[in-house]
Amino acid sequence: MSRRADEQSLLSSSDNVYQSTADDFSNINYDPYSSSAAAQSQPMPHRIGLLDAANEGSALLQYDSMLNAADTAAGNGGGGGAGIPATAASHASTNSVRLPTVAAAGAGAAAGPGSSSATASTLWTSSLHQNQPNIHQRMLQNALAVDAPASSGTAASSSSSGLRSSFAHSPELVLHDDAAAGEGILRAVVSGRVGGGGAGSDVIGGGRSGLRRLSSLTASAAPANAPNVSLTLQRAKERDEQERLEEEADEQLEENDENLKDISSQRETKLRYQDFSTIDWMRDHARDQQRQRQLRRDRLPGWKGKLQSANDGCQGWLLMFLVGLIAGFVAGVADVATDWLGDIKLGVCSNAFYLNHEFCCWAAAEGQCTAWKTWADFHNLDGAAAYWGNYLVYICFAILFALLSGTFVKFFAPYAAGSGIPQVKTILGGFVIRKFLGIWTLVTKLIGLTLSSSAGLSLGKEGPFVHIVCAIGNICSRIFAKYRKNEAKKREVLSAAAAAGVSVAFGAPVGGVLFSLEEVSYYFPYKTMWRAFFCALTAATVLRYMNPFLNGRSSLFAVDYDEHWRLFEIIPFALLGVFGGLFGAAFIRVNARWCAFRKSSALGKYPIYEIVAIAFITAAVNYLNPYQRNSTSSLIRELFSICGPEDKRDVCNDDLIGETIGLLFLSAAFRMIITVFTFGLKLPAGLFVPSMAIGACTGRILGIAMQQIVNANPDLFELSCGAKPESCIIPGLYAMVGAAAVLGGVTRMTVSLVVIMFELTGGLSYVLPFMTAVLVSKWVGDAFSREGIYDRHIRLNGYPFLDNKEEFRHTTLACDVMYPQKGDSPLCVLPVFGNTVGQLERLLEETVYQGFPVVFTTETMHVAGYVARSELKIALEKARKHHDVTEFTTCSFSHRTAASGNTSEMISLRHCLDASPIQIAEHTTTEMTLELFRKLGLRYALVCSYGQLVGIITKKDLLKHMAILQHRDPGSILFN
């Protein structure tokens, strides 16, 4: 055992605390592990300077150097302070931190043997003045005084007499620091008369004999009216015994650490984060850095070491390739199955029942396919009977598919309901939702999405593909340990998987990467962007190779435009943007209110009945309108297409313009209404395709109208359209711009949406129309509310998500947010020493807190760290397995030993302790606190007042505070 550790135990074991009068020692903040620079920078009128050797948080502040100097002085036969270098003494005299009411004893040049020195005395534990009302419980305890040599006896005498003249009213604590020499000299001068108030001075010898003499002088120098002097320093006389005990305790702790080494590694294989809790981004990042350092330390020499490094570096790319490969294959299978089931409602291929309508009639001319039979044809029905027979079968199949989809979700995986994007966005923000990305959810979502899309409901499968591919990424990440054991690293995989989901939905890999960056990802480093692009590219390539739509493209409604748009068309494009913004704002508000009503009413208890009712209404209306009878994706493809000279479709027939506009208007109006009730059902349902269908119908109507205006007034548009006004306007382009405008108004996507749309068109010349419509749509929508549909559903479900786009405009402080507030139960903290296994286990059983602040003592409340609930629980379980542990076995959160007690049976829990938690002052603004949580991904922050722990702020506390300020229910936040 080193002497430094011995002296540290000597002072730290006696609670190096101080107390003072309200006037002389106000606002003092003392931390036994703080540095001198930090302590001297405290904003207090009377400072106590402390110097730290920056080694293990030494509580004695270079005290070992002081003892060495004192030992040297004793060995040279000098006075009490002789032997200290002159440079240190002169430097100390100019760098003292002293109280303003007392002049410190001067320090002169170094003196040889026999020289006089200044007075040195000790602080006793007592009340300073019994006639002063504002006195704390105790004064500074166990301070040691070693004075620098004075230049002459006269100077020492005058200094001590000057001190005595001020002793009656004010104490002083002076720190002399020689940073250059690495020496710290701590001088403590205390009020009172040494030796009964004589005019002379007493000298304390150097070395350990000086310590013992100092203890005896303390008892003899106390005035008659003072309480008994603290006897803590008498432990110096028992130094040898204390050293032996502490060595044995340290050996026991080292043995415990060896036995518990696997705690820090084994806990990684378990669930470190409970369900509905928040991950610790900073700690997970630190753990990954530690893993990389360990990998470099254990690296083998030569080519084997290079192979190890290459293996670790290639795991991320291999995982991205695997996720993209599976995502492309799954998307292709889902597209084929959805088309086949969707066509089953209308008929079946007589030659091969497993073929959909397009594959069945691939070789036949349009309108001459004899292999495809409607259900009425099988029963030889014609006329009205055939129409109503097919109508009835259509409705029955729609209800059956919707019912099966809802049943699968209800009984196998409730998390498969909805689009999944709000939950994915929350998970990428650091929230833990167990089983949401599991294998059962993946299978149920895939089957349910195929059935619900085939039912003809006003929903799409493009949005849920983000959830599906993220589930694939989560499952595949279990193959590699560095992603399986680290939640922050796993979210990099999920960000790339989200990009691949959009890539297979629209055949837009670049748009998928931008969608992940703009809309769903919370943390998106540079390397993740490249891996996301690689994953999205792999998925799009596999899907295009499968060619599920028989068009050589990755999307059903991909088109190729060769015509150019005219400048005057910017005005109708902007009008489409206005419409998209207005519809988006209205849809978000109405849908949120309906979903809130569904949750709070009896309707939410019967989701299957609601699904059947919506499916019946949708199928009954869709069959009556030829533009809605087929799938929504087929409608969008038809509206996006360009009309050729020999095109006989109704949408391109000039003789049916009025009827076409009327049917498109009815289709758009019905989808606007029914989508409000469909989005939020307890089955897989996306919002991309219904929004695009509404915009495409509106845009096609406006495009047809503009085409008729130009054809009727060729002279007016001759400058822009030239000699062929009939080919000047492209109604399909208006449909695409309208689809982008409505989708942007609903989701508030901007850049990623523009890129997705021009990837669909295959040309960059249409970027400006898309940008115009999307920007106008967002401006109009933001004028009513800045939340998109996914952000609103995050808030509706109570997920703890801190949106980076949300502004905080209030002037509250951290003390207004923290727990506890007035009326709350006290903050639950754990001391470093004094805990038993039984106490900690009962604490885990009786409380639901996700972690506990650890303090040095409950009296000082100085922060030692923070321990998470899950890690503490795992550590206790492992300790019981490896040791004969009882409920009375003591536990320590430090590698230091306790001052007293049977330390041989102590269990070390220091591996569970986060020794560097984020701490903020109680007067920190909430805006700054919010930014810390957003930028650093904090799980919690400890609130301190002048070094003392007063509270804790979690993400839940911030969200509750923001909800209260916005006049919302704070109890709706879903948080364990």
Side-chain angles (χ1 to χ4, degrees):
M1 172 64 65
S2 64
R3 185 173 57 190
R4 175 180 301 279
D6 186 19
E7 301 304 330
Q8 291 172 354
S9 175
L10 179 63
L11 287 189
S12 62
S13 63
S14 58
D15 294 335
N16 283 323
V17 295
Y18 47 79
Q19 62 187 52
S20 55
T21 65
D23 296 331
D24 292 332
F25 288 95
S26 60
N27 299 330
I28 293 179
N29 176 18
Y30 172 66
D31 188 336
Y33 300 130
S34 65
S35 64
S36 60
Q40 295 181 23
S41 64
Q42 294 295 330
M44 46 186 163
H46 309 296
R47 297 184 182 177
I48 293 181
L50 299 173
L51 174 66
D52 191 352
N55 183 15
E56 296 294 332
S58 174
L60 203 51
L61 320 174
Q62 291 277 11
Y63 188 63
D64 192 36
S65 299
M66 183 188 72
L67 287 180
N68 289 335
D71 283 336
T72 305
N76 293 336
I84 299 175
T87 56
S90 61
H91 183 77
S93 65
T94 60
N95 292 278
S96 299
V97 180
R98 60 185 71 246
L99 297 177
T101 57
V102 181
S115 299
S116 175
S117 64
T119 301
S121 57
T122 61
L123 293 172
W124 54 79
T125 303
S126 65
S127 298
L128 183 61
H129 302 294
Q130 297 183 5
N131 57 348
Q132 294 186 4
N134 296 326
I135 298 179
H136 296 267
Q137 296 177 359
R138 292 176 299 187
M139 290 181 58
L140 292 172
Q141 296 180 358
N142 313 322
L144 302 177
V146 178
D147 209 346
S151 58
S152 64
T154 304
S157 176
S158 61
S159 298
S160 61
S161 62
L163 287 172
R164 286 196 301 273
S165 64
S166 302
F167 275 165
H169 300 288
S170 183
E172 180 190 24
L173 182 64
V174 183
L175 169 69
H176 298 280
D177 176 22
D178 185 2
E183 300 177 0
I185 308 171
L186 183 65
R187 172 190 298 169
V189 184
V190 170
S191 61
R193 294 177 177 271
V194 179
S201 61
D202 196 0
V203 178
I204 301 175
R208 291 183 172 82
S209 62
L211 288 177
R212 296 181 176 88
R213 186 178 181 190
L214 181 61
S215 177
S216 61
L217 281 176
T218 301
S220 62
N225 59 349
N228 293 331
V229 177
S230 175
L231 300 180
T232 307
L233 289 179
Q234 291 183 0
R235 294 185 58 199
K237 299 177 182 179
E238 304 171 356
R239 188 176 306 278
D240 295 337
E241 181 66 18
Q242 179 70 16
E243 179 176 329
R244 185 184 64 81
L245 293 175
E246 291 183 351
E247 285 179 351
E248 292 178 356
D250 278 354
E251 290 176 0
Q252 181 65 30
L253 286 177
E254 290 294 334
E255 182 181 352
N256 291 347
D257 290 343
E258 290 295 329
N259 293 331
L260 294 175
K261 270 184 178 180
D262 60 332
I263 289 180
S264 58
S265 59
Q266 289 292 333
R267 65 182 178 179
E268 295 179 0
T269 63
K270 294 180 176 289
L271 298 179
R272 291 188 60 246
Y273 301 109
Q274 297 182 1
D275 200 8
F276 299 112
S277 62
T278 305
I279 71 170
D280 193 336
W281 288 90
M282 297 183 63
R283 193 168 187 184
D284 280 348
H285 178 71
R287 291 171 64 241
D288 183 65
Q289 294 296 321
Q290 182 181 2
R291 182 195 64 82
Q292 295 182 18
R293 288 192 295 268
Q294 184 67 31
L295 185 65
R296 288 193 292 268
R297 284 195 298 265
D298 299 341
R299 180 178 175 180
L300 298 175
W303 64 271
K304 293 183 178 180
K306 295 181 179 179
L307 188 62
Q308 280 182 328
S309 301
N311 175 58
D312 184 72
C314 292
Q315 286 181 6
W317 294 100
L318 181 61
L319 180 58
M320 295 299 101
F321 176 77
L322 185 61
V323 172
L325 190 68
I326 298 176
F329 175 77
V330 168
V333 173
D335 289 333
V336 173
T338 301
D339 289 342
W340 180 73
L341 289 176
D343 290 342
I344 284 292
K345 296 182 299 182
L346 299 173
V348 67
C349 186
S350 58
N351 296 335
F353 73 94
Y354 52 85
L355 296 178
N356 61 13
H357 183 272
E358 188 170 4
F359 278 90
C360 184
C361 302
W362 180 255
E366 185 175 358
Q368 299 180 2
C369 180
T370 58
W372 182 260
K373 303 292 184 181
T374 65
W375 295 109
D377 294 336
F378 281 100
H379 297 82
N380 298 321
L381 299 178
D382 55 5
Y387 180 85
W388 291 108
N390 290 331
Y391 187 25
L392 181 61
V393 173
Y394 183 91
I395 294 176
C396 291
F397 270 114
I399 295 176
L400 176 63
F401 293 156
L403 180 62
L404 289 175
S405 178
T407 303
F408 270 102
V409 170
K410 181 179 180 179
F411 291 102
F412 291 99
Y415 282 144
S419 71
I421 293 180
Q423 291 85 352
V424 169
K425 191 172 181 178
T426 305
I427 291 174
L428 291 179
F431 196 53
V432 177
I433 306 178
R434 298 294 177 192
K435 299 182 180 180
F436 183 80
L437 299 177
I439 182 71
W440 272 111
T441 304
L442 171 62
V443 174
T444 305
K445 185 95 173 185
L446 190 58
I447 297 175
L449 179 62
T450 303
L451 291 171
S452 60
S453 299
S454 304
L457 296 173
S458 183
L459 50 82
K461 62 181 185 296
E462 282 69 21
F465 266 124
V466 175
H467 182 192
I468 291 174
V469 181
C470 282
I472 294 173
N474 177 66
I475 295 171
C476 293
S477 65
R478 300 172 186 173
I479 301 174
F480 303 100
K482 71 176 183 179
Y483 294 105
R484 181 179 66 251
K485 298 179 180 180
N486 195 304
E487 291 290 336
K489 292 287 293 180
K490 185 184 293 184
R491 273 148 182 78
E492 297 181 13
V493 178
L494 298 183
S495 295
V502 176
S503 176
V504 296
F506 296 100
V510 179
V513 175
L514 293 178
F515 172 82
S516 179
L517 173 63
E518 177 186 359
E519 188 64 22
V520 298
S521 293
Y522 191 86
Y523 175 67
F524 203 82
Y526 183 75
K527 62 179 181 180
T528 301
M529 181 179 67
W530 279 109
R531 291 178 179 177
F533 181 75
F534 176 71
C535 185
L537 180 63
T538 303
T541 303
V542 172
L543 183 62
R544 185 163 184 173
Y545 178 79
M546 294 181 66
N547 194 18
F549 306 112
L550 299 180
N551 58 1
R553 307 291 292 271
S554 302
S555 176
L556 179 61
F557 38 81
V559 295
D560 289 312
Y561 283 168
D562 297 328
E563 299 292 334
H564 297 285
W565 59 278
R566 273 66 178 181
L567 186 60
F568 70 88
E569 293 180 283
I570 286 291
I571 297 177
F573 294 154
L575 291 177
L576 288 174
V578 172
F579 169 77
L582 292 175
F583 170 76
F587 175 82
I588 292 172
R589 179 168 301 183
V590 176
N591 178 257
R593 290 186 177 182
W594 173 254
C595 291
F597 170 77
R598 178 190 289 128
K599 293 177 63 176
S600 60
S601 65
L603 184 62
K605 301 178 181 179
Y606 307 100
I608 301 297
Y609 294 155
E610 184 184 9
I611 291 173
V612 171
I614 295 297
F616 172 77
I617 296 173
T618 304
V621 175
N622 284 350
Y623 191 85
L624 300 177
N625 191 333
Y627 288 105
Q628 297 178 223
R629 191 173 300 170
N630 293 320
S631 65
T632 308
S633 298
S634 300
L635 171 64
I636 295 175
R637 178 180 60 177
E638 185 174 1
L639 296 178
F640 282 4
S641 62
I642 301 177
C643 295
E646 303 296 331
D647 204 326
K648 302 299 182 181
R649 293 175 299 162
D650 293 344
V651 73
C652 299
N653 193 341
D654 293 338
D655 298 332
L656 301 175
I657 289 178
E659 181 181 351
T660 300
I661 292 178
L663 291 175
L664 291 178
F665 177 79
L666 292 176
S667 177
F670 176 74
R671 289 186 183 276
M672 290 180 192
I673 298 173
I674 200 63
T675 305
V676 171
F677 302 97
T678 304
F679 189 71
L681 291 176
K682 295 303 180 181
L683 46 71
L687 193 60
F688 281 14
V689 169
S691 301
M692 295 178 65
I694 295 171
C697 290
T698 308
R700 189 79 186 197
I701 293 173
L702 182 59
I704 294 174
M706 288 295 300
Q707 188 179 47
Q708 296 302 313
I709 293 174
V710 172
N711 292 339
N713 302 278
D715 297 336
L716 184 62
F717 298 94
E718 183 179 1
L719 183 61
S720 299
C721 298
K724 296 181 178 180
E726 63 277 0
S727 61
C728 182
I729 301 297
I730 308 174
L733 177 60
Y734 283 77
M736 297 197 69
V737 173
V742 174
L743 184 56
V746 172
T747 63
R748 306 299 164 85
M749 295 163 53
T750 53
V751 179
S752 59
L753 178 58
V754 171
V755 174
I756 289 173
M757 297 308 295
F758 84 69
E759 282 189 278
L760 288 177
T761 60
L764 294 176
S765 59
Y766 304 105
V767 172
L768 188 57
F770 293 139
M771 291 180 63
T772 302
V774 169
L775 285 178
V776 172
S777 175
K778 181 171 176 57
W779 288 338
V780 173
D782 287 347
F784 296 92
S785 174
R786 292 184 178 271
E787 287 183 323
I789 186 63
Y790 301 126
D791 298 325
R792 179 60 65 89
H793 274 260
I794 287 175
R795 183 157 61 87
L796 181 66
N797 294 323
Y799 297 132
F801 179 76
L802 291 176
D803 193 354
N804 292 323
K805 301 185 288 293
E806 187 175 357
E807 297 181 3
F808 187 83
R809 302 179 180 180
H810 303 276
T811 58
T812 55
L813 302 176
C815 57
D816 302 321
V817 184
M818 70 180 188
Y819 176 89
Q821 293 290 317
K822 185 177 180 180
D824 294 336
S825 58
L827 184 65
C828 185
V829 298
L830 298 176
V832 174
F833 300 105
N835 305 294
T836 65
V837 172
Q839 291 174 346
L840 295 178
E841 289 178 342
R842 284 191 296 272
L843 181 66
L844 293 176
E845 293 176 358
E846 297 171 357
T847 62
V848 294
Y849 303 121
Q850 295 300 309
F852 307 93
V854 180
V855 296
F856 289 104
T857 63
T858 55
E859 290 82 8
T860 61
M861 293 295 286
H862 294 155
V863 177
Y866 183 90
V867 59
R869 178 190 186 90
S870 58
E871 296 183 2
L872 178 61
K873 183 177 180 180
I874 294 173
L876 293 176
E877 292 175 353
K878 298 297 294 183
R880 281 193 175 275
K881 292 180 180 179
H882 289 79
H883 300 277
D884 295 331
V885 175
T886 66
E887 62 175 348
F888 301 105
T889 304
T890 58
C891 304
S892 169
F893 289 99
S894 173
H895 63 280
R896 295 176 175 83
T897 60
S900 60
N902 187 9
T903 57
S904 61
E905 299 297 333
M906 183 177 295
I907 299 299
S908 175
L909 299 177
R910 61 177 179 174
H911 295 296
C912 307
L913 185 69
D914 179 9
S916 56
I918 298 296
Q919 304 178 44
I920 60 176
E922 61 176 343
H923 297 299
T924 305
T925 62
T926 306
E927 182 180 7
M928 182 178 294
T929 305
L930 187 61
E931 287 301 313
L932 287 174
F933 273 80
R934 286 172 174 170
K935 304 300 183 185
L936 300 180
L938 297 184
R939 193 183 187 191
Y940 61 88
L942 303 182
V943 183
C944 298
S945 176
Y946 298 104
Q948 292 184 332
L949 178 67
V950 295
I952 185 173
I953 295 178
T954 63
K955 185 181 289 187
K956 176 183 179 181
D957 297 323
L958 272 175
L959 291 170
K960 281 189 172 183
H961 182 72
M962 296 168 64
I964 293 174
L965 294 178
Q966 297 173 3
H967 306 288
R968 294 187 283 110
D969 180 18
S972 63
I973 299 174
L974 180 61
F975 208 104
N976 188 5

